[in-house]
Structure formats: structure tokens, C-alpha cells
Amino acid sequence: VKVTRMIVTVFRSRLMPSLREEYVALVDRMVELASSMPGYISHKGFFAEDGERCTIVEFESEEAQRAWRMHPEHRDAQRQGREIYYESYSLQICDVKRQSKFDRNASDAAAE
């Protein structure tokens, strides 16, 4: 079993009213930028029915996650978030201890 080190960022936020479209444009740019960073693995963002947004970002290491956090354009987006977009947010940086996966298609393919 291959053990992969991974740092997961869980970012939960609530937007100020009427700023969703403008915010999504900023998020699209941040996704483009983050995905070009060394050590980037993946991200997903979701809007819940109650209006909360949750973004999950995976990096290979704390150093890669830190480089993303400190990137000048991302720092500017963080500032804009606090000044313009967010009603509230919380951030959790998690060190993955264990991971398991299931993919029916991969299992079927392996059985063939």
C-alpha cells in the first residue's frame, strides 16, 4: 500500500448578499493559479442549500500549501475576501493520516 502525504485545506465561507457572480469570477482565477502551483493535487468547491460555500484543496506537502497561501495574487484575493466578499469564513488545514478510495469502474476494470 502506497502512503501518500497530503495536506487538505477546508475553507468554508458565507458570501455577502448579491456578490456570488463576482466572487465566482475571482474563484475561477484562483483555481487557475492554484492548479499551476507545484505540489497542487486537486480542489472542489460546493455551494450548500443554506448558502455556505465549502472548498476543499489538496496539496502534496505543507510547503506547497504554504507557497499557495503566500502567493502574492492569492494574498490579494484573501484581502478582497475579507474586505468585500465574505460575511464569514473558517479555515482548517489538515494533515491526512489515512486515505482509502473506492471506484466501481476501476474495480470492474481490474476484475476483467
Side-chain angles (χ1 to χ4, degrees), residues 18-67:
S18 305
L19 293 177
R20 185 170 170 163
E21 283 186 36
E22 188 178 326
Y23 175 75
V24 168
L26 178 64
V27 167
D28 288 346
R29 172 60 188 146
M30 291 301 101
V31 168
E32 177 185 355
L33 186 60
S35 62
S36 72
M37 299 287 295
Y40 168 87
I41 297 172
S42 73
H43 86 282
K44 292 232 177 175
F46 308 90
F47 277 103
E49 288 181 19
D50 68 358
E52 183 180 52
R53 177 173 169 79
C54 181
T55 303
I56 301 168
V57 185
E58 299 172 331
F59 279 94
E60 291 177 353
S61 67
E62 287 184 65
E63 296 75 22
Q65 190 276 339
R66 188 176 305 112

Side-chain angles (χ1 to χ4, degrees), residues 1 5 8 11 19-20 22 27 35 42 52 55-56 58 76 78 83 95 100-102 106 108 111:
V1 175
R5 177 83 195 263
V8 175
F11 183 69
L19 293 177
R20 185 170 170 163
E22 188 178 326
V27 167
S35 62
S42 73
E52 183 180 52
T55 303
I56 301 168
E58 299 172 331
D76 188 52
Q78 292 169 43
E83 292 177 2
D95 193 357
S100 62
K101 295 181 180 182
F102 172 77
D108 289 347

